[in-house]
Amino acid sequence: MELFFLFEQVVNGLVLAGYYLLIALGLSLIFSVGGIVNLAHGGFYAIGAYLAVTLTPHLGFAPAVVVSPLLVACLGILFERFVLRRFYREDPILSLLVTFGLAMVAEQAIRMIWGAAPLSQTLPSGLKGGVEIGPLLFSKYRLVMLGVVLAILASIWLLLNRTSFGRVIRAGIQNPDMVGALGIRLQPYMTTVVMIGVGLAAVGGALFAPITTVHPAMGAEILTIGFIVVIIGGLGSFWGVVLAAVLVGVVRSITIQYLPAASEASMYILMFLVLLLRPRGLLGERMAKFEG
C-alpha cells in the first residue's frame, strides 16, 4: 500500500512539474535567444490567471483558458518592442533592473484593476471529482492539466526541432554571428520567442487558477521556482528544463507528504547538489549573446 501511495505522490509531482515547466520554459527561451533575464515573467503569469478568471463568466472555462494566453502573448509583442529590444546589446544588469521594475508595475496594476483581495476560479462540473485507478484516486482536473502540458511540450519541441523557425532559433542560440552573416535577422524571431515565452507563463496562470489562490503577488511567488528550474536544468537546454521541472515537482510532492516542514527547502537543496556536481546545470550549454 505504501508503494501505491508513493506512486500517487509521483503523479502529483508530475502535475507540479507541468506547472513549473510552463513558467521555466518561457524564461529559458527568452534568455537563450536574447540573453535577457526576465524578472517580469511572473507578472505575465499573474495577468494570465486574472484574465482567465475575468473571461470565464463570459466565455466559459475552456475558451477563457485559450483566450487569456493569446491576449498576454499580444502584450508580449509590446514588451519586446518597447522594453527588451533596447537592452540586447547593453549590460545585462540594466535589463534586470528594468524587468524588475516592470514586475512591480504589473503587480500594482493588478491591484488597481482587480483589487487586492484574492479571487477564485470555478471549475466546470465536468472537470470536478476524481478518477479511480486501482486503489488510487486522482483529481480529474489535474490529470487533464497534465495532458494539456504534455501536448504543449510536444508542440514546442516540434516547433523548435521540425520547422525552419526552430532551426534559425537553435542556430541563433549557438552562433548568432553566423546567422547574421547569412543575412538572417534574428529580431523578428526574438519577438515570436517572447510571445511564446510570456504566453506559456499565461497558460500556467490560466490552468492553475482553479487550484491555487489568484492574488496580485502570485507572479513573484512562482518566479523564484521558475528560476530554480532553469538553473538546475541548465541555461539554453530544452530537455534540461524539462528534466529539472520533473525533479523539482516530484521531490517537492514527496517531501510535502513525508516532511512538510522541508518542502520549501527541498528545491534549494536540490539546486545546491546539482550545481555542486554540474555547475552549468544538468544539461547546460555554452551560448553566445544575441546581438540583434
Side-chain angles (χ1 to χ4, degrees):
M1 195 65 183
E2 184 69 20
L3 185 61
F4 285 117
F5 182 73
L6 180 62
F7 177 73
E8 185 177 7
Q9 300 315 309
V10 170
V11 174
N12 289 333
L14 292 177
V15 175
L16 269 182
Y19 181 33
Y20 301 153
L21 180 61
L22 291 173
I23 307 300
L25 196 54
L27 274 172
S28 182
L29 282 172
I30 292 172
F31 178 82
S32 296
V33 183
I36 299 288
V37 179
N38 179 24
L39 295 182
H41 204 68
F44 293 105
Y45 159 81
I47 292 171
Y50 272 92
L51 284 176
V53 172
T54 302
L55 292 172
T56 295
H58 306 284
L59 303 177
F61 179 77
V65 170
V66 174
V67 172
S68 172
L70 293 177
L71 293 176
V72 173
C74 292
L75 283 178
I77 298 175
L78 301 177
F79 177 53
E80 195 279 333
R81 173 65 182 83
F82 295 106
V83 180
L84 296 187
R85 194 172 294 185
R86 301 170 181 266
F87 297 99
Y88 294 139
R89 299 180 181 86
E90 304 295 336
D91 189 328
I93 194 66
L94 297 178
S95 62
L96 276 174
L97 293 173
V98 169
T99 55
F100 174 76
L102 187 60
M104 298 298 100
V105 170
E107 183 175 328
Q108 294 308 313
I110 288 172
R111 293 181 189 275
M112 292 171 61
I113 296 170
W114 284 282
L119 301 181
S120 60
Q121 175 72 299
T122 304
L123 274 176
S125 58
L127 293 176
K128 293 179 180 178
V131 176
E132 290 188 17
I133 303 177
L136 304 177
L137 179 66
F138 298 102
S139 163
K140 186 183 298 185
Y141 181 65
R142 288 175 183 264
L143 292 179
V144 169
M145 281 195 307
L146 185 57
V148 171
V149 170
L150 289 175
I152 291 173
L153 179 63
S155 300
I156 297 296
W157 184 86
L158 288 172
L159 177 67
L160 294 177
N161 292 275
R162 293 292 184 266
T163 66
S164 57
F165 171 85
R167 285 191 287 272
V168 172
I169 291 299
R170 286 185 286 116
I173 291 173
Q174 297 298 329
N175 197 333
D177 292 333
M178 180 191 72
V179 174
L182 294 173
I184 300 173
R185 292 184 64 248
L186 280 176
Q187 190 66 70
Y189 292 89
M190 186 62 202
T191 302
T192 305
V193 166
V194 173
M195 287 179 62
I196 293 172
V198 301
L200 287 174
V203 171
L207 281 177
F208 282 82
I211 59 175
T212 189
T213 303
V214 179
H215 61 95
M218 64 188 298
E221 293 176 357
I222 193 62
L223 187 64
T224 300
I225 300 176
F227 274 116
I228 287 173
V229 170
V230 172
I231 291 168
I232 290 175
L235 297 172
S237 172
F238 177 89
W239 290 114
V241 171
V242 174
L243 178 57
V246 171
L247 282 175
V248 173
V250 171
V251 167
R252 287 204 73 185
S253 180
I254 293 174
T255 308
I256 286 171
Q257 292 300 319
Y258 292 99
L259 198 61
S263 62
E264 191 73 18
S266 62
M267 59 182 179
Y268 296 102
I269 295 171
L270 180 61
M271 179 177 68
F272 171 75
L273 293 175
V274 169
L275 294 182
L276 192 64
L277 299 173
R278 293 272 303 175
R280 284 195 218 161
L282 294 173
L283 300 175
E285 304 171 2
R286 290 189 182 276
M287 294 170 297
K289 185 181 176 183
F290 167 54
E291 297 293 344

